Amino acid sequence: EAGVAQSPRYKIIEKRQSVAFWCNPISGHATLYWYQQILGQGPKLLIQFQNNGVVDDSQLPKDRFSAERLKGVDSTLKIQPAKLEDSAVYLCASSDGRGAAFFGQGTRLTVV
Amino acid sequence: QQQVKQSPQSLIVQKGGIPIINCAYENTAFDYFPWYQQFPGKGPALLIAIRPDVSEKKEGRFTISFNKSAKQFSLHIMDSQPGDSATYFCAASWASNTGKLIFGQGTTLQVKP
């Protein structure tokens, strides 16, 4: 079965610009997560979707970050405007609700 | 109370050695404890997971030991190989929501040939 797909793999932007990341979860997985992994740290949950509804966005910096999951499948995470401290790997994960979560390869964002 | 503390930060062992990575948690509501392995440029991949009703779980060369009263758990890698060189993360979560993970800080393991 295909894994979690993410694009782009790498992105370099200047501070105050906007950027968007895309995720396609494993087919049939109703739950989708976005994590932020800063270099040298463990991933931190940003937002969780169940189908196309938000379950938990308590860690999402809502003044600059937004996410959506249209039709309960693909998801997009957006940052606008980006700050230097947003430089990180953004990981998407999905789960069928019974087993473990599977992660994509991530998008490495560099803000200069 | 949501933190998971992991040690050591880095570890170097010889091939065949048994690296041990330790984690501690505070929230007793956690009931799912996975370990993830991450190679450079890749996302974390589930290695092995345990629930608090057992004290030990083995899968191949990987073993989790779990001490519920101490709120600690550890990963042992038997007969370690250079291919095991990676970053290992412990995590804590809930059996009802296994993807909502609280990760430790990570341990970078190097296995020398």
Side-chain angles (χ1 to χ4, degrees):
Chain A
E1 103 189 328
V4 177
Q6 290 189 246
S7 67
R9 288 296 315 277
Y10 307 94
K11 191 75 177 178
I12 300 174
I13 63 171
E14 295 182 350
K15 60 183 179 184
R16 292 188 290 273
Q17 285 187 326
S18 63
V19 63
F21 314 125
W22 173 83
C23 172
N24 180 241
I26 293 172
S27 177
H29 281 193
T31 311
L32 185 147
Y33 309 84
W34 282 101
Y35 283 82
Q36 179 192 58
Q37 185 175 21
I38 293 172
L39 186 64
Q41 298 182 19
K44 185 185 81 171
L45 180 68
L46 292 174
I47 189 168
Q48 176 184 347
F49 290 94
Q50 181 73 24
N51 295 309
N52 61 347
V54 175
V55 174
D56 182 358
D57 64 357
S58 59
Q59 303 287 332
L60 189 73
K62 299 180 189 62
D63 57 333
R64 298 183 300 106
F65 286 64
S66 65
E68 60 182 7
R69 190 182 183 196
L70 298 177
K71 301 180 182 179
V73 181
D74 294 1
S75 178
T76 303
L77 176 69
K78 297 179 181 178
I79 307 175
Q80 182 179 15
K83 293 185 175 182
L84 296 176
E85 59 260 36
D86 298 332
S87 295
V89 175
Y90 290 85
L91 295 161
C92 179
S94 70
S95 167
D96 63 5
R98 297 186 300 274
F102 293 88
F103 284 81
Q105 293 196 81
T107 296
R108 179 175 297 278
L109 173 68
T110 303
V111 182
V112 297
Chain B
Q1 197 179 17
Q2 295 284 67
Q3 281 188 326
V4 175
K5 296 183 179 179
Q6 182 174 345
S7 63
Q9 188 174 355
S10 63
L11 195 51
I12 301 174
V13 299
Q14 292 293 133
K15 178 182 173 182
I18 305 176
I20 301 173
I21 305 170
N22 301 298
C23 285
Y25 64 97
E26 298 173 355
N27 188 349
T28 56
F30 292 135
D31 58 0
Y32 176 73
F33 302 90
W35 285 87
Y36 280 82
Q37 179 188 56
Q38 186 175 33
F39 292 104
K42 303 292 185 182
L46 179 69
L47 202 56
I48 184 172
I50 197 168
R51 312 229 169 169
D53 52 342
V54 297
S55 60
E56 185 176 279
K57 183 176 181 180
K58 292 183 181 182
E59 283 188 7
R61 295 184 293 108
F62 301 94
T63 298
I64 299 180
S65 298
F66 188 84
N67 186 330
K68 187 174 181 178
S69 61
K71 293 187 283 186
Q72 295 176 348
F73 58 110
S74 60
L75 177 70
H76 301 230
I77 305 176
M78 306 301 177
D79 187 28
S80 58
Q81 302 295 314
D84 295 330
S85 298
T87 300
Y88 293 81
F89 292 96
C90 64
S93 183
W94 299 264
S96 59
N97 190 357
T98 57
K100 185 175 179 178
L101 297 153
I102 312 299
F103 281 92
Q105 298 92 324
T107 296
T108 301
L109 171 66
Q110 182 183 356
V111 181
K112 291 189 171 182

